[in-house]
Amino acid sequence: METVNVLTPAVRQTAISGMERLRADFPILGIRVEDKPLVYLDNAASSQMPQIVIDRLVRYQKTQHANIHRAVHHLSGIATQEYEAARRKLQCFISAREEREVIFTSGTTDSINLVMHGYGRKFIQEGDEIILTALEHHSNIVPWQMLAEEKGARIRVVPINDAGELLVEEYEKLFNSRTRFVGLSHVSNALGSINPIKRMIATAHQHGVPVLVDGAQAAPHLKIDVRDLDCDFYAFSAHKMCGPTGIGILYGKAHLLESMQPFKGGGDMITSVSFEKTTYNEIPYKFEAGTPPIAAAIGFGAAIDYLEQIGLDAIAAYEHELLVYASEQIRALPGVRIVGDCQNKVAVISFVMDGIHPHDVGTLLNQDGIAVRTGHHCAQPIMQRFNVAATSRASFSFYNTKKEIDTLVEGIRSVQKVFAQ
Amino acid sequence: MSLKSIYQEVILDHNRKPRNYGALRSPSHHATGHNPLCGDRIDLDINMHDGRIDEIAFRGESCAICKASSSMMTNAVKGKSFQEAEELIREFREMLVDGIEKDFDHLGRLKVLAGVRDLPTRIKCAILPWHTLHAAMNSVAGATTEADDHEDQLVANNH
């Protein structure tokens, strides 16, 4: 992570000592599991919510709720204003040129499906090719497979090496005159690898091909600048970054969004309707049919405020410290192997243990109050690549501590002890 | 019994030394069980003669709970008739999935697996071999833990 190196040791130290104090912002971190303090290390699946975001949701429901973009009354005005303010916060957060380039969706999966239906079904034809990577989450594979099947298009896959890094040279060789689209994860959910997407986007653009970036695992940990990346689409979800479930965004370049057909039809996405002809609304509303999760969108805005207050650079620096510490500790354990141990990654550690199935690891760690994810992480192609059925995954957030990593390492040793008897 | 002791005393014994592990040379019945959630997969071979399970063997990649359940199941049904095995499957489900409160002492060693009931996310691991046995005996090619939800629903709907 480039951001780590620019921080002086003093700044880094301040960031680290400040971070542990933030735990108090998260009520759920105080609960006990199996009569042990909760050690929550499943942040890549979903992060926890700070009190300030919870309070924002409550304040909205108690004093500001009505439907948006509809009525002339007081509450509808406030709700609309707050909903659109949240959109502007997201726009600034990712440095988008215009706020209409930010579409609220129900999450990353919904965003990707929107692009598949709105862009893919319109512009991808029989014999065309779509490039995806071996690191994709199922949500950036399955929609494109559905499209490929419908259209008779073909999917090409960028391979990875043993460290879990994309083979960029192989990627560059995949382009030909039939390449129409690239779908790319910024950060792998199963391994944590950070992909060199800026370079990969530039390559695609040399061939005139647009790129969708699945940023679900990147946005909580890295500063995202869609103009600097020059990506055509970027998608992520609130619930992985201290916000509520059921809300996320799709960023898209305005001219692309304008060229696309609507994904869902309904209210709010039209300017006029008659049984003869319907005129669609402008972007972003063209893609926001029906009443959106207004409270969740506003809560998302509050989560963005919270993260920006801490600073994404400070978050990245602190989480990198956690990653380095945890990697050293886990690597030192005999009988434990980290899967996808590449240089450039976010604070995610996927590991397997000799002779012990990940589900047994997860169940026994839970006895010590430790929450990790076990399974294939909705990324079965990665599991196949590494020839494992499943892994255990510890994924960290800025509210985790080195002490919790020690508890995890103790927990892993204790699992080994149970199995050694 | 605490979870750790279930692991230590029973599950690990069968995990390390699974009974009836392997393949039968020419099984009369076979099925593959699959848990798409965790990638667990077991293959079950049976030789049925005159409606009785003469021989049974299993193999596959799975977690300790699934392997122990498979191992103990093969011990329990060997020599049993089709009806007796189906009855055992039904009772095992009652104990683990339906959570029926009754005396399961007659299940013998299998009773220890009742502890898995407290781990809702792991019940499927324990039940997979039993589904597979049912599928094999009824000459269905495969079983999946996902059918379990469906069956539960049907059961629930019938109540």
Side-chain angles (χ1 to χ4, degrees), chain A residues 127-131 154-156 170-182 203-204 206-209:
Chain A
D128 287 348
E129 296 187 357
I130 299 162
I131 297 178
R154 184 175 171 212
I155 289 172
R156 311 288 305 268
E170 296 301 314
Y171 162 72
E172 286 164 358
K173 284 185 217 154
L174 290 178
F175 284 89
N176 61 44
S177 62
R178 299 313 303 263
T179 310
R180 290 289 176 273
F181 199 81
V182 174
T203 302
Q206 278 162 20
H207 293 86
V209 175

Side-chain angles (χ1 to χ4, degrees), chain A residues 357 359-360 363 418-419 421, chain B residues 7-8 12 16 38 64 122:
Chain A
H357 191 281
H359 267 196
D360 298 315
T363 295
V418 169
F419 270 75
Q421 276 163 4
Chain B
Y7 261 92
Q8 282 162 343
L12 289 177
R16 259 191 304 270
C38 59
R122 304 300 303 280

Side-chain angles (χ1 to χ4, degrees), chain B residues 18-158:
Chain B
R19 323 298 197 261
N20 308 302
Y21 193 83
L24 297 182
R25 198 158 295 148
S26 48
S28 62
H29 294 71
H30 169 85
T32 300
H34 186 222
N35 180 352
L37 222 72
C38 59
D40 277 357
R41 189 192 158 92
I42 63 162
D43 279 286
L44 192 71
D45 293 343
I46 311 174
N47 261 329
M48 297 241 308
H49 191 69
D50 287 341
R52 198 164 282 280
I53 298 172
D54 279 352
E55 288 181 292
I56 182 163
F58 81 99
R59 62 202 172 277
E61 287 297 317
S62 68
C63 66
I65 290 178
C66 179
K67 205 183 232 180
S69 184
S70 306
S71 170
M72 292 167 83
M73 175 190 81
T74 53
N75 267 354
V77 300
K78 203 191 265 184
K80 293 266 193 309
S81 70
F82 176 89
Q83 278 80 10
E84 287 166 337
E86 287 288 355
E87 178 62 16
L88 206 53
I89 293 171
R90 196 184 59 74
E91 294 232 55
F92 191 79
R93 276 188 57 90
E94 275 186 1
M95 176 178 80
L96 211 66
V97 185
D98 306 333
I100 290 171
E101 294 296 330
K102 68 173 199 189
D103 190 0
F104 288 105
D105 279 347
H106 56 289
L107 291 183
R109 296 280 289 158
L110 290 170
K111 209 185 143 191
V112 75
L113 289 170
V116 177
R117 202 165 59 188
D118 300 330
L119 304 168
T121 51
R122 304 300 303 280
I123 289 173
K124 286 179 175 179
C125 306
I127 206 81
L128 178 65
W130 299 81
H131 277 294
T132 312
L133 174 63
H134 176 77
M137 289 197 303
N138 292 280
S139 298
V140 184
T144 161
T145 50
E146 298 316 284
D148 194 39
D149 284 341
H150 189 58
E151 274 186 37
D152 288 345
Q153 255 168 24
L154 290 180
V155 171
N157 288 341
N158 290 340

